[in-house]
Amino acid sequence: MEACEIARLLEELLSAALSRTSPRDACRAAAVSAAFGTAADSDAVWACFLPSGRDLPLLADGEQLPCRKKDLFLRLSGSPVLLPGGLLSMWLDRESGAKCYMVSARELSIAWRDTPEHWTWIPLDDSRFSESAELIWVCWLEIRGKIHSKMLSQGSTYTVYIVYKLADDSDGLNFPVNASLSVRGSVMACQVCLQRNPHMIHPEDVVLPHERVDGWMELELGEFVCEAGEDGDVSFGLSETECLNCKSGLILQGIEIRCKN
């Protein structure tokens, strides 16, 4: 009886209701009835989960984006796309539709990055970008980046991660370094450690890295909320400029700003 009553509602009403939910809820609703299935597949619903037309990305590799809104959402939430210039990748969070990004190592400010005896640039098959930065050795480690808040989705909570690997002969990276995140003039700081030391008990307030399913490591630098009407840079980074011990073997892909689920 309930399914029959639902089927009598206009598709436009069902679409209007579903467009006020979330991508996951719309997919679940499709299993309720044939009427919901039709509405949940409509462009009217999925257009509400996509960025506005001017915020949709132009792709760096010439890939043509699908015309159907649901197919477009699934493409942009299925894997990152490289933006023109090749220095940023972007995707949509499948749960919420929020825009997420990775800033490539080339787009970051890295102390001594153009000095070959300190850093070198290498291609890696499993990187999103044409080059990753490999640390030869430095005593002064400083990596900074930023993204404009207008590129993000208002009202979304984001977490910032540095994404990297460690060379087999890495050294000096298993001690705490300083991480910072600046939003609206407010600076949040914490201590992080790029490499777990099996022979050391790290303090509870030191953030440790985790291995991702893609084989890279990620280390959280902080989180923030992109407030409505936000208009300014979100800045982030990490540094060790006090102990000045020799550091080597960091292979940096970039810094990721993704929606917190």
Side-chain angles (χ1 to χ4, degrees), residues 149-150 152-157 184 225-232:
S149 57
K150 288 292 188 182
L152 304 172
S153 297
Q154 294 185 350
S156 296
T157 301
R184 298 180 296 277
V225 177
C226 184
E227 303 284 2
E230 191 75 41
D231 187 9

Side-chain angles (χ1 to χ4, degrees), residues 111-112 139-144 176-178 238-245 247:
W112 312 108
C139 293
W140 182 292
L141 178 65
E142 188 169 19
I143 301 169
R144 305 287 180 193
V177 299
N178 298 313
L238 82 167
S239 64
E240 199 296 289
T241 59
E242 297 175 1
C243 294
L244 301 179
N245 62 304
K247 308 165 190 68

Side-chain angles (χ1 to χ4, degrees), residues 203-219:
E204 291 185 0
D205 60 348
V206 173
V207 182
L208 297 174
H210 299 277
E211 186 173 357
R212 297 154 51 111
V213 295
D214 62 6
W216 289 79
M217 303 291 293
E218 68 177 24
L219 179 61

Side-chain angles (χ1 to χ4, degrees), residues 83-195:
L83 302 187
L87 300 179
L88 282 174
S89 69
M90 177 264 191
W91 69 100
L92 300 181
D93 178 69
R94 185 155 286 193
E95 298 282 338
S96 64
K99 292 176 286 185
C100 306
Y101 296 87
M102 184 187 284
V103 183
S104 70
R106 270 293 185 192
E107 186 72 354
L108 299 172
S109 174
I110 304 173
W112 312 108
R113 55 174 277 173
D114 297 320
T115 308
E117 57 263 36
H118 294 304
W119 289 90
T120 187
W121 296 90
I122 58 173
L124 292 174
D125 292 338
D126 58 350
S127 173
R128 301 180 193 177
F129 307 105
S130 61
E131 292 179 305
S132 294
E134 182 173 8
L135 173 59
I136 306 303
W137 75 270
V138 294
C139 293
W140 182 292
L141 178 65
E142 188 169 19
I143 301 169
R144 305 287 180 193
K146 63 183 179 180
I147 191 168
H148 200 281
S149 57
K150 288 292 188 182
M151 298 174 64
L152 304 172
S153 297
Q154 294 185 350
S156 296
T157 301
Y158 286 94
T159 308
V160 180
Y161 298 89
I162 183 170
V163 181
Y164 63 98
K165 288 182 177 182
L166 296 173
D168 293 337
D169 59 350
S170 62
D171 187 39
L173 301 175
N174 54 359
F175 296 97
V177 299
N178 298 313
S180 63
L181 175 63
S182 176
V183 184
R184 298 180 296 277
S186 176
V187 179
M188 295 156 278
C190 65
Q191 286 203 312
V192 301
C193 192
L194 288 159
Q195 184 175 22

